[in-house]
Amino acid sequence: MRFRLSYLIFLFLFSGNLFAERHLLFLGGGGEPKSSETTIFDTMIKNLGAYLDNNKWKTHVLFNGGHTKTEEILDENFKDASSVGSFGKKRFDDLIDSYEKKIKNGQLKAGEQLLIVIDSHGSAKQEGDFTHQIALGNESLTSETIEGQAELISLDRLKKLTELALQKDIQLAIIDFSCKSGATQALNNQNTCVISATGPEHLAYDTFSDYFSKNMEKGKNLENLFLEARRHDLNQSLPMISTQAGQALSNDFHALITPYFLSYNENPEID
């Protein structure tokens, strides 16, 4: 299994024309104040758009909705996308449904790549959740926690997609830059690599997502990008990757160091 995961990550992303088709789903942008024309996600949008200018992916964008400057940046940077729309529940469900069908009917073939990039405000994993929930677009974040403050959608919706990718030998990667995104690690399997910007209890910072997206380029793989971004992110976060080494590190040290990466507002008992 170790060889299999390493092989998947080595091949995945930015390496020539090894695959007939590569698919990218860019999702999120929810939970920003409605009073602003811009969002904290703008730099990351530009970085991802710059990468796509020089690398051909079949791209679908469901991002934000309601912030005029951010909408302009999206339009400018994803001119060649197959579709661009705001991040709403029905659009999200329809898009994931369509990719489940593509895998089932063979439109997305064994060995081809599907990359899902998520950048939104995120909530902690709740009882009964497999992963965690993120804010939908055009919803306002009014406090440091989003529970009860913005409309949320669960990333559990991606679980079936990971199972189909495993069954049909599709190479799937999920990159979750949201807060509390360590919960998304639960989606990993032999054909699905998961990168999260932080642990399941922690805040994420745009330094990780901005550096990661800025350094996306042909010839690099996900593991390289993760390690580079991890070295440059000096904030109180715990970026995670679902390689065997990454999982072992999380299992051995996560519980020990978690209290020191929580802010005072998250856990008043830690000071």
Side-chain angles (χ1 to χ4, degrees), residues 128-147:
D129 286 347
F130 185 68
T131 57
H132 76 137
Q133 300 180 40
I134 60 172
L136 289 169
N138 205 20
E139 294 294 334
S140 177
L141 180 67
T142 58
S143 72
E144 289 192 15
T145 59
I146 66 174
E147 293 87 343

Side-chain angles (χ1 to χ4, degrees), residues 107-120:
Q107 286 179 269
L108 195 55
K109 302 175 182 66
E112 292 188 337
Q113 298 177 341
L114 173 58
L115 171 62
I116 301 175
V117 178
I118 300 158
D119 200 5
S120 195

Side-chain angles (χ1 to χ4, degrees), residues 160-188:
K160 184 177 179 182
L161 199 63
T162 67
E163 293 167 351
L164 287 169
L166 180 60
Q167 292 170 17
K168 302 294 185 178
D169 201 23
I170 307 297
Q171 295 188 3
L172 172 61
I174 300 170
I175 303 174
D176 185 355
F177 291 128
S178 64
C179 289
K180 320 298 174 70
S181 56
T184 308
Q185 290 289 315
L187 292 171
N188 89 87

Side-chain angles (χ1 to χ4, degrees), residues 30-76:
E32 284 288 277
K34 292 181 180 178
S35 58
S36 175
E37 293 183 339
T38 62
T39 66
I40 63 170
F41 311 110
D42 292 353
T43 299
M44 193 275 183
I45 295 170
K46 294 175 184 177
N47 291 343
L48 186 57
Y51 166 73
L52 293 172
D53 279 343
N54 300 307
N55 296 273
K56 185 175 177 57
W57 290 70
K58 187 171 184 178
T59 304
H60 294 272
V61 179
L62 294 181
F63 205 87
N64 207 275
H67 296 80
T68 54
K69 295 297 184 184
T70 297
E71 297 294 318
E72 290 173 5
I73 293 169
L74 283 163
D75 290 341
E76 177 66 26

